[in-house]
Amino acid sequence: VFSCEAKLEWSLNGTLIDLGNDYRRHMSGGNLIISNLERNQDTGIYQCIAYNTWGTIVSRKASLQFAYLDTFKTQMVRSAVNVREGQGVVLLCGPPAHSGELTFAWIFNEYPYFVQQDSRRFISQETGSLYIAKVEPSDVGNYTCVVNNTVTREKMLSSPTPLVLRSDGVMGEYEPKIEVHFPDSVPAAKDSVIKLECFALGNPVPEISWRRTSGVPFPSKVKMKNSNGVLEIPNFQQEDAGTYECVAENRRGKNAARGRLSFHAKPHWLQTIDDTALSIEENLFWECKASGKPKPSYSWLRNGQPLTAEDRLQIENGALSVAALNLSDSGMYQCVAENKHGIIYSSAQLMVLASPPSFSKSPLRALLKARSGSTVTLECKPRAAPPAISLWKKGNEILQRSERITLLSNGTLQIANISKQDAGSYTCIAKNQFGTASTTGKLIITEIIVGESIVLPCQIACDPALDVSFSWAFNGQLIDFQQDNGHFERVGGSISGDLMIRNIQLNHGGKYVCLIDTDVDSLSTSAILVVKGPPGPPDKVSVEEITDSTAQLSWTAGRDNGSPITGYSVQARTPFTVGWQAVDTVPEIINGNMLTATVVDLNAWVEYEFRVVARNDVGLGEPSPPSDKTRTEDTIPDTAPTDVGGGGGTKSELVITWEPVPEELQNGEGFGYIIAYRQTGTVMWTRAVISTPGVSRYTFRNDTIPAFSPFDVKVAAYNNRGEGPFSSIASVYSAEEVPSAAPKRVVARSVSAVQIEVVWEALRAIPERVLGYEVVYWEDDTKPDTIGKVRLTGNHTAANLTSLRADTAYYLSVAAFNTAGPGPQSAPINSTTKKPPPDRPPLNIQWTMVGSTLSLHWDPVVATETESKVTGYLVLLKRHRYNDMTTILTTKTSVELSISASDNYLIQIKAMSEGGEGASSEPIHIHKSSEFAVLSTCISFPLQPLMKPK
């Protein structure tokens, strides 16, 4: 049953379902109900389609698939597996074709005796194979793989596989060999349950452990199952991503497998599209963005149909642009973001409009104010579709572009350097093919701010034959343009005597009179110029009272310069600061009516200067002159030295270190340090006093100090007023001595052509501390120059020397070490690496495929005298679908493998020898013989897929 609302239709695999002629399918309240499900007819992708007069949208997709489990292709008894007692073995299941999740079990001999998993036996739920780490006589018998489909609950049993003990002896002990491990890279979906498998063959039976290579411990939700063979991470989140390591270990050695879990998540919207109304001929730009891993891909739908790029329409990732909209572009649009974990839709309506201009929503203000010399912006924003063409008028005069007047493409009018002559009525007229509209506002000029410039107009209309002269007076005094300091300038022509005042200062505020003389008359016009500026500096800053951490200040106000003072701030300076710094006060905010404040959080015994800065609506003023220098009172130190530690040194020494207390925190004269120490476990403290403030180290020497003995130490500061608090207690060790003995029973064993294993007996019952061991080795015993060194921290008693030369004698010795250095070396021993493995791969490889059985044959590899003898062959089988690797070791030049016919495989063969693995053959690609369609379920719409058994 699927749910959806509105006027609806349903599609299956892109084809509309004809519900009128379908007796098995019908719709009820938007729900699609399917009766008598049939695998061949009902499998596929379903979508709900909703539509009305505004357009069409589609739902997310729902996938309906059917689970099944075929029978095993053959029921004959499988070939017997012959192994030695103590050897590990892998029994392959090879599950049949199926759909739906499988689980695996194995029957031992006969039902209902199932193989019980423990540290020795493991059943992989990834491959179905049974792994026995170490075969025991009780394991002999017939093994049958049981495959269960968790959806259909069908079960299929394979034919039995006999397990037989060989009679040629018992397998000796050997290090773990990991047969089951997770891939190098594992994509993990958010909130999913991740199960990682790891199992190893080995004698003795290996122990499995897990860790994160980052060192971060596992959270409590992580569970270990099946004797640590399975690591389960429920509710996978971003913080669970990283590299995980499985370690298999027994007394013969250990091996590890690593893989990285990468965080994957279904798409999630970061930016969606919204309903949009645009004018005809305008351009549409929509962009949607989604997070997700892998990164989502995007597509677009209009009225349920996919959009493709064309002349007017461009699509790039999550961006859709449509040029020159027309009415047919109206409709419902959907942005689709999709990755392999899910698909999401964002829907919006596009309305393409056509209408005449209207200022009903955005008229000009009736009264507009601007300061002289400033820039004013008048916006013309009519509603019109398509956008209107606009022009501006001042009074009845059409405005044109000039140095001061800018007409922007969106209809906005900007007038720079506003003056009195710009005052008046302004009208914006808008027009398109559907009509015309206008809006009007009046502009008046206000005051000016310090630092700005202004033009005071002075113009007349007269007979051009008349001689006209202009002059200006400021506060009753004629302006001398020659003697002025560059603030005043006459601008204009024969009938204009405008006055330009540049970089206006406070003293330029007042009355300006323009005097006009002609042959027949004299005229004048005047204007009052109001100039505002930041406040002047406060004065007479004094310290009324001071303590060890506060100072009470008072001051007098400066001039407000035409704008009331709104507040004050206090700054301080000391010999330890860089310039003036803002300080905290009580009250925290000092308003413009206050002339006192208390500065808090000062340091004791520090010389301070203070100054005050006033502010008003124009800005911050100049600071006051500084107060007299005043020192805060002294007090005992309130800060303990930090980073107390130490250690090291030479024999019979205890070294103690700390971070010195800065001078501004010493709180008084006579500053020094008190060092207290005692041997851990004792009660009495020994104290030492250092009267030098800058010292950060103290060394106590005494022949009775035991080597590497723990001490409790703490450090305090003091001055003439008393002692401050001690630091927290730190544990510091006295100097230690190098180990006095060399490791014994050192044995070396050649492992391969490039590796030697060294084993020794750990040192015990020596007085010195042992932090680890180092192995040094060289080639020529007559010239014992070290060519390599391996250092192991911890209680290790074995090391592997790698990257060595083949068939070469090496000399080596072992020494213990600690922080004082390495101790004496053991007597040198020698070991010779194996001859190298053959450098030729197996040739003439032939294969045949019968059913699910793959037979391989190849020519033997013959070693030369300088190479190690061939002991067998290693067949590597990689399955592409699961990216897993299976290895088969054989002494023959042929092998038979059971593989799935529905997968692709890659096979390589190597010769094996005491010297290691030989060269690998060219890869052999085995392609699947038939295609099986597997339906994926990717559903993140509220539709729920319904899975039914066949």
Side-chain angles (χ1 to χ4, degrees), residues 294-358:
K295 185 177 180 180
S297 60
Y298 299 91
S299 59
W300 287 83
L301 307 175
R302 179 171 62 202
N303 292 328
Q305 298 301 314
L307 287 176
T308 55
E310 55 185 41
D311 291 341
R312 291 189 306 115
L313 188 148
Q314 298 295 323
I315 296 174
E316 184 174 354
N317 292 326
L320 170 68
S321 57
V322 183
L325 289 170
N326 56 51
L327 294 177
S328 65
D329 293 319
S330 297
M332 297 300 299
Y333 288 73
Q334 290 178 283
C335 177
V336 186
E338 179 177 11
N339 66 14
K340 67 180 181 180
H341 298 291
I343 181 171
I344 51 177
Y345 293 71
S346 175
S347 304
Q349 180 186 2
L350 172 63
M351 296 181 64
V352 181
L353 307 175
S355 63
S358 171

Side-chain angles (χ1 to χ4, degrees), residues 795-837:
N795 193 27
H796 294 276
T797 58
N800 283 321
L801 310 182
T802 59
S803 302
L804 304 178
R805 294 198 301 170
D807 198 19
T808 301
Y810 285 88
Y811 297 86
L812 53 93
S813 62
V814 184
F817 70 86
N818 58 23
T819 58
Q825 294 183 342
S826 66
I829 62 172
N830 68 336
S831 180
T832 302
T833 52
K834 307 285 188 184
K835 293 181 179 180

